[in-house]
PDB file of all heavy atoms in Angstrom:
ATOM      1  N   VAL G 218       0.822  -1.201  -0.021  1.00 85.00           N
ATOM      2  CA  VAL G 218      -0.028   0.013  -0.002  1.00 85.00           C
ATOM      3  C   VAL G 218       0.903   1.272  -0.004  1.00 85.00           C
ATOM      4  O   VAL G 218       0.517   2.260  -0.695  1.00 85.00           O
ATOM      5  CB  VAL G 218      -0.933  -0.012   1.226  1.00 85.00           C
ATOM      6  CG1 VAL G 218      -1.536   1.345   1.513  1.00 85.00           C
ATOM      7  CG2 VAL G 218      -2.119  -0.972   1.087  1.00 85.00           C
ATOM      8  N   VAL G 219       2.021   1.218   0.702  1.00 87.00           N
ATOM      9  CA  VAL G 219       2.854   2.462   0.851  1.00 87.00           C
ATOM     10  C   VAL G 219       3.310   2.998  -0.572  1.00 87.00           C
ATOM     11  O   VAL G 219       3.162   4.156  -0.821  1.00 87.00           O
ATOM     12  CB  VAL G 219       3.976   2.178   1.828  1.00 87.00           C
ATOM     13  CG1 VAL G 219       4.921   3.378   1.852  1.00 87.00           C
ATOM     14  CG2 VAL G 219       3.447   1.746   3.198  1.00 87.00           C
ATOM     15  N   PRO G 220       3.918   2.065  -1.392  1.00 83.00           N
ATOM     16  CA  PRO G 220       4.300   2.670  -2.668  1.00 83.00           C
ATOM     17  C   PRO G 220       3.151   3.035  -3.568  1.00 83.00           C
ATOM     18  O   PRO G 220       3.336   3.778  -4.540  1.00 83.00           O
ATOM     19  CB  PRO G 220       5.081   1.439  -3.318  1.00 83.00           C
ATOM     20  CG  PRO G 220       5.407   0.510  -2.203  1.00 83.00           C
ATOM     21  CD  PRO G 220       4.334   0.719  -1.237  1.00 83.00           C
ATOM     22  N   GLU G 221       1.966   2.651  -3.257  1.00 82.00           N
ATOM     23  CA  GLU G 221       0.776   3.034  -4.020  1.00 82.00           C
ATOM     24  C   GLU G 221       0.492   4.560  -3.936  1.00 82.00           C
ATOM     25  O   GLU G 221       0.082   5.123  -4.920  1.00 82.00           O
ATOM     26  CB  GLU G 221      -0.403   2.237  -3.499  1.00 82.00           C
ATOM     27  CG  GLU G 221      -1.651   2.485  -4.302  1.00 82.00           C
ATOM     28  CD  GLU G 221      -1.631   1.763  -5.697  1.00 82.00           C
ATOM     29  OE1 GLU G 221      -0.834   0.870  -5.837  1.00 82.00           O
ATOM     30  OE2 GLU G 221      -2.410   2.206  -6.559  1.00 82.00           O
ATOM     31  N   TYR G 222       0.793   5.124  -2.790  1.00 82.00           N
ATOM     32  CA  TYR G 222       0.608   6.527  -2.572  1.00 82.00           C
ATOM     33  C   TYR G 222       1.920   7.364  -2.445  1.00 82.00           C
ATOM     34  O   TYR G 222       1.777   8.651  -2.429  1.00 82.00           O
ATOM     35  CB  TYR G 222      -0.317   6.702  -1.370  1.00 82.00           C
ATOM     36  CG  TYR G 222      -1.584   6.029  -1.484  1.00 82.00           C
ATOM     37  CD1 TYR G 222      -1.833   4.753  -0.854  1.00 82.00           C
ATOM     38  CD2 TYR G 222      -2.688   6.555  -2.275  1.00 82.00           C
ATOM     39  CE1 TYR G 222      -3.061   4.138  -0.935  1.00 82.00           C
ATOM     40  CE2 TYR G 222      -3.882   5.940  -2.441  1.00 82.00           C
ATOM     41  CZ  TYR G 222      -4.002   4.675  -1.751  1.00 82.00           C
ATOM     42  OH  TYR G 222      -5.286   4.118  -1.871  1.00 82.00           O
ATOM     43  N   CYS G 223       3.034   6.750  -2.296  1.00 84.00           N
ATOM     44  CA  CYS G 223       4.255   7.408  -2.197  1.00 84.00           C
ATOM     45  C   CYS G 223       5.183   6.848  -3.331  1.00 84.00           C
ATOM     46  O   CYS G 223       5.688   5.750  -3.237  1.00 84.00           O
ATOM     47  CB  CYS G 223       4.895   7.240  -0.792  1.00 84.00           C
ATOM     48  SG  CYS G 223       3.900   7.824   0.575  1.00 84.00           S
ATOM     49  N   LYS G 224       5.464   7.703  -4.259  1.00 79.00           N
ATOM     50  CA  LYS G 224       6.348   7.303  -5.341  1.00 79.00           C
ATOM     51  C   LYS G 224       7.792   7.146  -4.902  1.00 79.00           C
ATOM     52  O   LYS G 224       8.572   6.383  -5.510  1.00 79.00           O
ATOM     53  CB  LYS G 224       6.217   8.265  -6.558  1.00 79.00           C
ATOM     54  CG  LYS G 224       4.804   8.515  -6.972  1.00 79.00           C
ATOM     55  CD  LYS G 224       4.221   7.161  -7.450  1.00 79.00           C
ATOM     56  CE  LYS G 224       2.702   7.398  -7.918  1.00 79.00           C
ATOM     57  NZ  LYS G 224       2.042   6.131  -8.275  1.00 79.00           N
ATOM     58  N   ILE G 225       8.194   7.964  -3.981  1.00 80.00           N
ATOM     59  CA  ILE G 225       9.530   7.897  -3.465  1.00 80.00           C
ATOM     60  C   ILE G 225       9.445   7.629  -1.925  1.00 80.00           C
ATOM     61  O   ILE G 225       8.767   8.304  -1.260  1.00 80.00           O
ATOM     62  CB  ILE G 225      10.275   9.252  -3.685  1.00 80.00           C
ATOM     63  CG1 ILE G 225      10.356   9.653  -5.085  1.00 80.00           C
ATOM     64  CG2 ILE G 225      11.735   9.166  -3.108  1.00 80.00           C
ATOM     65  CD1 ILE G 225      10.935  11.030  -5.416  1.00 80.00           C
ATOM     66  N   LEU G 226      10.099   6.575  -1.563  1.00 82.00           N
ATOM     67  CA  LEU G 226      10.029   6.203  -0.159  1.00 82.00           C
ATOM     68  C   LEU G 226      11.019   6.996   0.697  1.00 82.00           C
ATOM     69  O   LEU G 226      12.126   6.459   1.235  1.00 82.00           O
ATOM     70  CB  LEU G 226      10.315   4.676   0.035  1.00 82.00           C
ATOM     71  CG  LEU G 226       9.359   3.735  -0.838  1.00 82.00           C
ATOM     72  CD1 LEU G 226       9.739   2.342  -0.645  1.00 82.00           C
ATOM     73  CD2 LEU G 226       7.928   4.013  -0.287  1.00 82.00           C
ATOM     74  N   GLU G 227      10.650   8.205   0.910  1.00 83.00           N
ATOM     75  CA  GLU G 227      11.417   9.148   1.707  1.00 83.00           C
ATOM     76  C   GLU G 227      10.580   9.823   2.770  1.00 83.00           C
ATOM     77  O   GLU G 227       9.309   9.832   2.632  1.00 83.00           O
ATOM     78  CB  GLU G 227      12.145  10.164   0.886  1.00 83.00           C
ATOM     79  CG  GLU G 227      13.203   9.594  -0.056  1.00 83.00           C
ATOM     80  CD  GLU G 227      13.896  10.702  -0.900  1.00 83.00           C
ATOM     81  OE1 GLU G 227      13.421  11.880  -0.805  1.00 83.00           O
ATOM     82  OE2 GLU G 227      14.862  10.406  -1.591  1.00 83.00           O
ATOM     83  N   GLU G 228      11.197  10.447   3.813  1.00 84.00           N
ATOM     84  CA  GLU G 228      10.458  10.898   4.906  1.00 84.00           C
ATOM     85  C   GLU G 228       9.490  12.124   4.451  1.00 84.00           C
ATOM     86  O   GLU G 228       8.289  12.082   4.826  1.00 84.00           O
ATOM     87  CB  GLU G 228      11.482  11.507   5.912  1.00 84.00           C
ATOM     88  CG  GLU G 228      10.805  12.134   7.216  1.00 84.00           C
ATOM     89  CD  GLU G 228      11.774  12.497   8.186  1.00 84.00           C
ATOM     90  OE1 GLU G 228      12.954  12.053   8.126  1.00 84.00           O
ATOM     91  OE2 GLU G 228      11.410  13.282   9.074  1.00 84.00           O
ATOM     92  N   THR G 229       9.954  12.946   3.601  1.00 85.00           N
ATOM     93  CA  THR G 229       9.097  14.064   3.118  1.00 85.00           C
ATOM     94  C   THR G 229       7.850  13.609   2.416  1.00 85.00           C
ATOM     95  O   THR G 229       6.774  14.023   2.461  1.00 85.00           O
ATOM     96  CB  THR G 229       9.888  15.040   2.257  1.00 85.00           C
ATOM     97  OG1 THR G 229      10.488  14.308   1.131  1.00 85.00           O
ATOM     98  CG2 THR G 229      10.984  15.707   2.998  1.00 85.00           C
ATOM     99  N   GLU G 230       8.069  12.547   1.536  1.00 86.00           N
ATOM    100  CA  GLU G 230       6.911  11.948   0.739  1.00 86.00           C
ATOM    101  C   GLU G 230       5.972  11.296   1.622  1.00 86.00           C
ATOM    102  O   GLU G 230       4.713  11.359   1.459  1.00 86.00           O
ATOM    103  CB  GLU G 230       7.538  10.959  -0.290  1.00 86.00           C
ATOM    104  CG  GLU G 230       6.498  10.404  -1.240  1.00 86.00           C
ATOM    105  CD  GLU G 230       6.131  11.435  -2.364  1.00 86.00           C
ATOM    106  OE1 GLU G 230       6.812  12.461  -2.480  1.00 86.00           O
ATOM    107  OE2 GLU G 230       5.234  11.169  -3.188  1.00 86.00           O
ATOM    108  N   ILE G 231       6.413  10.559   2.630  1.00 86.00           N
ATOM    109  CA  ILE G 231       5.506   9.860   3.589  1.00 86.00           C
ATOM    110  C   ILE G 231       4.681  10.918   4.356  1.00 86.00           C
ATOM    111  O   ILE G 231       3.433  10.731   4.439  1.00 86.00           O
ATOM    112  CB  ILE G 231       6.335   8.972   4.568  1.00 86.00           C
ATOM    113  CG1 ILE G 231       7.111   7.906   3.885  1.00 86.00           C
ATOM    114  CG2 ILE G 231       5.454   8.435   5.660  1.00 86.00           C
ATOM    115  CD1 ILE G 231       6.257   6.882   3.281  1.00 86.00           C
ATOM    116  N   LEU G 232       5.293  12.030   4.862  1.00 88.00           N
ATOM    117  CA  LEU G 232       4.557  13.025   5.579  1.00 88.00           C
ATOM    118  C   LEU G 232       3.572  13.760   4.676  1.00 88.00           C
ATOM    119  O   LEU G 232       2.434  14.086   5.132  1.00 88.00           O
ATOM    120  CB  LEU G 232       5.571  14.048   6.218  1.00 88.00           C
ATOM    121  CG  LEU G 232       6.484  13.473   7.257  1.00 88.00           C
ATOM    122  CD1 LEU G 232       7.453  14.546   7.701  1.00 88.00           C
ATOM    123  CD2 LEU G 232       5.724  12.912   8.468  1.00 88.00           C
ATOM    124  N   GLU G 233       3.920  13.964   3.387  1.00 86.00           N
ATOM    125  CA  GLU G 233       3.064  14.641   2.535  1.00 86.00           C
ATOM    126  C   GLU G 233       1.773  13.836   2.249  1.00 86.00           C
ATOM    127  O   GLU G 233       0.691  14.369   2.042  1.00 86.00           O
ATOM    128  CB  GLU G 233       3.774  14.938   1.223  1.00 86.00           C
ATOM    129  CG  GLU G 233       3.014  15.767   0.233  1.00 86.00           C
ATOM    130  CD  GLU G 233       3.742  16.206  -1.031  1.00 86.00           C
ATOM    131  OE1 GLU G 233       5.001  15.947  -1.020  1.00 86.00           O
ATOM    132  OE2 GLU G 233       3.132  16.599  -1.988  1.00 86.00           O
ATOM    133  N   ASN G 234       1.893  12.450   2.151  1.00 85.00           N
ATOM    134  CA  ASN G 234       0.777  11.645   1.820  1.00 85.00           C
ATOM    135  C   ASN G 234       0.318  10.882   3.077  1.00 85.00           C
ATOM    136  O   ASN G 234      -0.233   9.750   2.883  1.00 85.00           O
ATOM    137  CB  ASN G 234       1.150  10.649   0.720  1.00 85.00           C
ATOM    138  CG  ASN G 234       1.465  11.239  -0.542  1.00 85.00           C
ATOM    139  OD1 ASN G 234       0.668  11.710  -1.316  1.00 85.00           O
ATOM    140  ND2 ASN G 234       2.808  11.452  -0.792  1.00 85.00           N
ATOM    141  N   SER G 235       0.484  11.388   4.290  1.00 85.00           N
ATOM    142  CA  SER G 235       0.214  10.738   5.441  1.00 85.00           C
ATOM    143  C   SER G 235      -1.339  10.412   5.619  1.00 85.00           C
ATOM    144  O   SER G 235      -1.682   9.240   6.096  1.00 85.00           O
ATOM    145  CB  SER G 235       0.734  11.574   6.743  1.00 85.00           C
ATOM    146  OG  SER G 235       0.119  12.889   6.641  1.00 85.00           O
ATOM    147  N   PHE G 236      -2.091  11.311   5.211  1.00 87.00           N
ATOM    148  CA  PHE G 236      -3.609  11.117   5.402  1.00 87.00           C
ATOM    149  C   PHE G 236      -4.098   9.976   4.492  1.00 87.00           C
ATOM    150  O   PHE G 236      -4.887   9.147   4.898  1.00 87.00           O
ATOM    151  CB  PHE G 236      -4.355  12.367   5.153  1.00 87.00           C
ATOM    152  CG  PHE G 236      -4.320  13.346   6.210  1.00 87.00           C
ATOM    153  CD1 PHE G 236      -3.516  14.499   6.196  1.00 87.00           C
ATOM    154  CD2 PHE G 236      -5.012  13.232   7.400  1.00 87.00           C
ATOM    155  CE1 PHE G 236      -3.468  15.423   7.214  1.00 87.00           C
ATOM    156  CE2 PHE G 236      -4.971  14.106   8.453  1.00 87.00           C
ATOM    157  CZ  PHE G 236      -4.164  15.150   8.326  1.00 87.00           C
ATOM    158  N   GLN G 237      -3.597   9.918   3.334  1.00 83.00           N
ATOM    159  CA  GLN G 237      -3.995   8.886   2.355  1.00 83.00           C
ATOM    160  C   GLN G 237      -3.463   7.559   2.917  1.00 83.00           C
ATOM    161  O   GLN G 237      -4.236   6.483   2.827  1.00 83.00           O
ATOM    162  CB  GLN G 237      -3.401   9.116   0.953  1.00 83.00           C
ATOM    163  CG  GLN G 237      -3.935  10.334   0.231  1.00 83.00           C
ATOM    164  CD  GLN G 237      -5.321  10.020  -0.495  1.00 83.00           C
ATOM    165  OE1 GLN G 237      -5.846   9.016  -0.090  1.00 83.00           O
ATOM    166  NE2 GLN G 237      -5.667  10.840  -1.305  1.00 83.00           N
ATOM    167  N   LEU G 238      -2.343   7.435   3.448  1.00 87.00           N
ATOM    168  CA  LEU G 238      -1.790   6.150   4.066  1.00 87.00           C
ATOM    169  C   LEU G 238      -2.569   5.787   5.228  1.00 87.00           C
ATOM    170  O   LEU G 238      -2.939   4.616   5.350  1.00 87.00           O
ATOM    171  CB  LEU G 238      -0.332   6.385   4.441  1.00 87.00           C
ATOM    172  CG  LEU G 238       0.645   6.539   3.241  1.00 87.00           C
ATOM    173  CD1 LEU G 238       2.016   6.929   3.803  1.00 87.00           C
ATOM    174  CD2 LEU G 238       0.746   5.271   2.399  1.00 87.00           C
ATOM    175  N   LEU G 239      -2.965   6.759   6.079  1.00 86.00           N
ATOM    176  CA  LEU G 239      -3.809   6.400   7.300  1.00 86.00           C
ATOM    177  C   LEU G 239      -5.210   5.863   6.915  1.00 86.00           C
ATOM    178  O   LEU G 239      -5.641   4.949   7.521  1.00 86.00           O
ATOM    179  CB  LEU G 239      -3.870   7.558   8.244  1.00 86.00           C
ATOM    180  CG  LEU G 239      -2.628   8.030   8.888  1.00 86.00           C
ATOM    181  CD1 LEU G 239      -2.784   9.311   9.707  1.00 86.00           C
ATOM    182  CD2 LEU G 239      -2.123   7.012   9.817  1.00 86.00           C
ATOM    183  N   PHE G 240      -5.765   6.498   5.873  1.00 86.00           N
ATOM    184  CA  PHE G 240      -7.094   5.994   5.325  1.00 86.00           C
ATOM    185  C   PHE G 240      -6.929   4.562   4.807  1.00 86.00           C
ATOM    186  O   PHE G 240      -7.733   3.728   5.039  1.00 86.00           O
ATOM    187  CB  PHE G 240      -7.579   6.893   4.270  1.00 86.00           C
ATOM    188  CG  PHE G 240      -8.017   8.331   4.748  1.00 86.00           C
ATOM    189  CD1 PHE G 240      -7.888   9.367   3.951  1.00 86.00           C
ATOM    190  CD2 PHE G 240      -8.397   8.451   6.064  1.00 86.00           C
ATOM    191  CE1 PHE G 240      -8.208  10.615   4.430  1.00 86.00           C
ATOM    192  CE2 PHE G 240      -8.748   9.729   6.531  1.00 86.00           C
ATOM    193  CZ  PHE G 240      -8.645  10.837   5.700  1.00 86.00           C
ATOM    194  N   ALA G 241      -5.799   4.303   4.068  1.00 86.00           N
ATOM    195  CA  ALA G 241      -5.589   2.992   3.554  1.00 86.00           C
ATOM    196  C   ALA G 241      -5.388   1.946   4.705  1.00 86.00           C
ATOM    197  O   ALA G 241      -5.829   0.848   4.644  1.00 86.00           O
ATOM    198  CB  ALA G 241      -4.361   2.977   2.584  1.00 86.00           C
ATOM    199  N   PHE G 242      -4.629   2.383   5.728  1.00 87.00           N
ATOM    200  CA  PHE G 242      -4.436   1.457   6.821  1.00 87.00           C
ATOM    201  C   PHE G 242      -5.757   1.100   7.526  1.00 87.00           C
ATOM    202  O   PHE G 242      -5.954  -0.105   7.975  1.00 87.00           O
ATOM    203  CB  PHE G 242      -3.557   2.157   7.931  1.00 87.00           C
ATOM    204  CG  PHE G 242      -2.120   2.286   7.522  1.00 87.00           C
ATOM    205  CD1 PHE G 242      -1.139   2.913   8.305  1.00 87.00           C
ATOM    206  CD2 PHE G 242      -1.661   1.799   6.260  1.00 87.00           C
ATOM    207  CE1 PHE G 242       0.185   3.049   7.989  1.00 87.00           C
ATOM    208  CE2 PHE G 242      -0.306   1.972   5.921  1.00 87.00           C
ATOM    209  CZ  PHE G 242       0.593   2.527   6.762  1.00 87.00           C
ATOM    210  N   ASP G 243      -6.638   2.059   7.587  1.00 84.00           N
ATOM    211  CA  ASP G 243      -7.977   1.806   8.203  1.00 84.00           C
ATOM    212  C   ASP G 243      -8.826   0.776   7.409  1.00 84.00           C
ATOM    213  O   ASP G 243      -9.674   0.159   7.904  1.00 84.00           O
ATOM    214  CB  ASP G 243      -8.770   3.131   8.414  1.00 84.00           C
ATOM    215  CG  ASP G 243      -8.249   3.894   9.595  1.00 84.00           C
ATOM    216  OD1 ASP G 243      -7.516   3.333  10.397  1.00 84.00           O
ATOM    217  OD2 ASP G 243      -8.550   5.102   9.681  1.00 84.00           O
ATOM    218  N   GLU G 244      -8.503   0.782   6.061  1.00 84.00           N
ATOM    219  CA  GLU G 244      -9.257  -0.174   5.229  1.00 84.00           C
ATOM    220  C   GLU G 244      -8.703  -1.585   5.393  1.00 84.00           C
ATOM    221  O   GLU G 244      -9.466  -2.568   5.191  1.00 84.00           O
ATOM    222  CB  GLU G 244      -9.196   0.207   3.765  1.00 84.00           C
ATOM    223  CG  GLU G 244      -9.817   1.526   3.379  1.00 84.00           C
ATOM    224  CD  GLU G 244     -11.289   1.558   3.635  1.00 84.00           C
ATOM    225  OE1 GLU G 244     -11.878   0.399   3.584  1.00 84.00           O
ATOM    226  OE2 GLU G 244     -11.797   2.642   3.762  1.00 84.00           O
ATOM    227  N   ILE G 245      -7.504  -1.742   5.824  1.00 86.00           N
ATOM    228  CA  ILE G 245      -6.901  -3.003   5.959  1.00 86.00           C
ATOM    229  C   ILE G 245      -7.215  -3.694   7.371  1.00 86.00           C
ATOM    230  O   ILE G 245      -7.563  -4.825   7.429  1.00 86.00           O
ATOM    231  CB  ILE G 245      -5.321  -2.922   5.878  1.00 86.00           C
ATOM    232  CG1 ILE G 245      -4.930  -2.435   4.422  1.00 86.00           C
ATOM    233  CG2 ILE G 245      -4.621  -4.325   6.081  1.00 86.00           C
ATOM    234  CD1 ILE G 245      -3.463  -2.141   4.245  1.00 86.00           C
TER     235      ILE G 245
END
């Protein structure tokens, strides 16, 4: 799921897409 919303696996990219990742975590 993480590469699905973060094209680059870096800290800034994770923080920028944090809400999308949290929503995806809630679906799992």
Side-chain angles (χ1 to χ4, degrees):
V218 163
V219 176
E221 184 74 20
Y222 300 101
C223 301
K224 304 304 179 185
I225 304 173
L226 298 178
E227 293 181 353
E228 182 174 343
T229 55
E230 186 79 6
I231 297 293
L232 295 176
E233 185 177 347
N234 297 280
S235 57
F236 284 103
Q237 292 282 15
L238 291 172
L239 291 175
F240 292 151
F242 289 178
D243 285 343
E244 297 296 337
I245 300 174

